[in-house]
Amino acid sequence: MLLSIKTKLKLNESQKTMMSKHAGIARFTYNWGLATWQNLYNDGLKPDKYLLKKFFNNHVKPEYTWIKEKGICQKITQYAFDNLGNAFQRFFKGQGKYPRFKKKGINDSFTIDASGKPIPVGGKSIKLPTIGWVRTYECLPHTTCKSITISRTADSWFIAFTYEQEHELIAKKHSVVGVDLGVKELATLSTGVVFANPKHYKQNLAQLKRLSKRHCRKEKGSNNRHKSKIKLAKHHAKITNLRKDTLHKITTYLCKNHAKIVVEDLNVSGMMSNHNLAQAIADCGFYEFKRQLEYKAQKFGCEIIVADRWYPSSKTCSVCGHQQEMPLKQRVFQCGNCGYSIDRDLNASINLSRLAKA
């Protein structure tokens, strides 16, 4: 199966400048393509990425000599049009919003390749096409890849690529497990294991407010404002990394130790409409949890079972099957039929685990 890896690059100032130039060319190409697409559509034509790519290479690219500067990989313009075409394709399918123009310093990235040839990677150094040798902070697996994507977060540059990896068949300790996700406890398993919700955003909210206030007070266009912007972006990246680290540990534990995993089909967008809980729900990262669980299930050889969205796992007694109303504030399930008392989340996870046996 194809898996991706992303790690931080160890660059000097000249290399950072070169990366910024590549990202700037990719951003310029994408924005030019989007503006031209809109103009052609308004004139009654039906543009596509191939038409824009051909016109750009033949008529626009020769006018801008800085695109063909020494050390610049010319493949970045090709991938910029591919990204624009994919964005419109997702929009037409109803999977995303209408493409927007890219801004400098926000999600800067570009993709390069070696004209169809495989790119060897491995160790703490990698030779990028045209750019040359760059170093990483951690060792990369010795393999080959077709293309490499380089992106920037705050003032750090990261490298990402996909490579073929074999399945890891691991003996499972448990045959079935039900997983109940929540805000108070991030994940409660039917086996009795509970993963607490660290609430990284809430824990760092005070520091974020201070940094945001300092950033707003800086004069626009000044060096101090740019420094405060980087500092604020670093803190946001820290919170994101902490949240992803927590989710990676939980999903890896689930897929390595359980043959079948039953999870709920949560309506995250609908849950976010509750403004009293929106911040807490967003801090949990339910979508990222499900995404990690899906690809790790293929990697470690386990099965994911998604329960129906309307399955009453929290309202059903795990002993007698009696159903009753359960307000969100009520954290203990007290069965009105048999009198059985159990934690609300544990009761729901047990009911979910039984769906695998049904």
Side-chain angles (χ1 to χ4, degrees):
M1 62 179 295
L2 278 177
L3 287 178
S4 63
I5 184 171
K6 183 178 180 181
T7 186
K8 187 177 178 180
L9 290 173
K10 192 174 185 180
L11 306 177
N12 53 36
E13 292 301 323
S14 62
Q15 289 174 330
K16 288 182 180 180
T17 302
M18 183 60 67
M19 298 298 180
S20 298
K21 289 182 179 180
H22 280 79
I25 294 173
R27 181 176 61 253
F28 169 80
T29 306
Y30 184 93
N31 290 342
W32 179 91
L34 179 56
T36 307
W37 189 303
Q38 293 176 349
N39 293 334
L40 292 176
Y41 182 80
N42 293 333
D43 293 338
L45 302 176
K46 294 183 178 180
D48 56 60
K49 66 178 182 179
Y50 304 104
L51 176 65
L52 296 178
K53 190 185 301 182
K54 184 176 180 180
F55 184 84
F56 183 84
N57 292 332
N58 295 333
H59 302 283
V60 179
K61 203 171 184 179
E63 298 181 1
Y64 298 99
T65 57
W66 47 271
I67 296 181
K68 295 187 177 181
E69 183 182 338
K70 184 179 179 180
I72 299 295
C73 182
Q74 299 303 306
K75 289 292 183 177
I76 55 179
T77 57
Q78 173 185 338
Y79 283 100
F81 285 115
D82 291 341
N83 293 335
L84 178 62
N86 293 336
F88 271 106
Q89 190 174 12
R90 289 179 56 82
F91 170 71
F92 293 141
K93 291 182 178 180
Q95 299 175 347
K97 297 182 179 179
Y98 188 84
R100 294 179 293 179
F101 291 97
K102 294 181 179 293
K103 290 185 178 181
K104 182 179 180 180
I106 301 178
N107 298 326
D108 286 339
S109 66
F110 61 93
T111 304
I112 57 178
D113 65 16
S115 301
K117 298 178 182 178
I119 304 174
V121 297
K124 287 191 175 182
S125 296
I126 177 174
K127 188 176 183 180
L128 301 177
T130 310
I131 298 176
W133 288 97
V134 293
R135 293 193 299 167
T136 60
Y137 283 92
E138 59 181 344
C139 290
L140 299 175
H142 291 273
T143 181
T144 58
C145 60
K146 294 183 179 179
S147 62
I148 293 176
T149 299
I150 300 174
S151 59
R152 174 165 57 185
T153 301
D155 63 341
S156 302
W157 290 92
F158 295 84
I159 186 174
F161 58 89
T162 58
Y163 66 103
E164 191 72 28
Q165 184 173 342
E166 297 181 357
H167 296 273
E168 298 182 26
L169 299 178
I170 301 176
K172 313 298 183 184
K173 295 181 180 179
H174 305 279
S175 58
V176 180
V177 65
V179 183
D180 181 74
L181 301 177
V183 175
K184 183 179 179 183
E185 305 295 345
L186 187 57
T188 302
L189 310 187
S190 58
T191 55
V193 179
V194 178
F195 294 95
N197 186 4
K199 301 179 181 178
H200 296 296
Y201 184 81
K202 185 177 181 180
Q203 297 293 332
N204 293 271
L205 186 58
Q207 179 68 8
L208 283 176
K209 288 182 178 179
R210 285 194 293 268
L211 293 174
S212 299
K213 189 177 292 185
R214 292 174 187 174
H215 176 67
C216 292
R217 289 172 178 172
K218 305 296 181 183
E219 183 180 352
K220 290 186 177 181
S222 64
N223 290 332
N224 286 335
R225 185 177 178 87
H226 178 71
K227 291 178 183 178
S228 64
K229 176 185 175 181
I230 295 299
K231 198 171 184 179
L232 179 61
K234 280 185 176 181
H235 203 67
H236 275 292
K238 176 185 176 182
I239 297 172
T240 303
N241 292 335
L242 287 171
R243 185 185 298 116
K244 285 185 177 180
D245 179 70
T246 300
L247 295 177
H248 273 298
K249 290 176 179 177
I250 298 175
T251 53
T252 301
Y253 172 82
L254 286 171
C255 294
K256 277 188 174 182
N257 296 281
H258 305 88
K260 292 183 179 180
I261 304 171
V262 187
V263 294
E264 299 172 285
D265 182 19
L266 296 177
N267 182 16
V268 180
S269 58
M271 296 166 65
M272 293 284 288
S273 61
N274 185 350
H275 299 293
N276 295 325
L277 295 174
Q279 186 183 97
I281 293 172
D283 195 17
C284 294
F286 291 144
Y287 178 83
E288 178 66 13
F289 178 89
K290 185 178 180 181
R291 186 193 70 83
Q292 292 183 12
L293 205 61
E294 287 175 350
Y295 82 82
K296 288 183 181 180
Q298 298 179 13
K299 179 180 178 180
F300 297 110
C302 62
E303 181 183 356
I304 302 296
I305 301 174
V306 181
D308 185 77
R309 183 174 297 178
W310 306 110
Y311 177 69
S313 59
S314 299
K315 300 179 181 181
T316 306
C317 178
S318 58
V319 174
C320 66
H322 172 72
Q323 293 187 14
Q324 62 187 42
E325 292 298 322
M326 281 292 294
L328 190 60
K329 63 180 179 180
Q330 188 173 343
R331 304 311 305 172
V332 177
F333 185 90
Q334 187 73 35
C335 183
N337 183 40
C338 65
Y340 183 67
S341 180
I342 189 176
D343 179 76
R344 173 198 181 103
D345 297 336
L346 181 58
N347 178 72
S349 63
I350 295 174
N351 289 326
L352 289 172
S353 66
R354 290 174 179 171
L355 287 178
K357 305 174 183 178

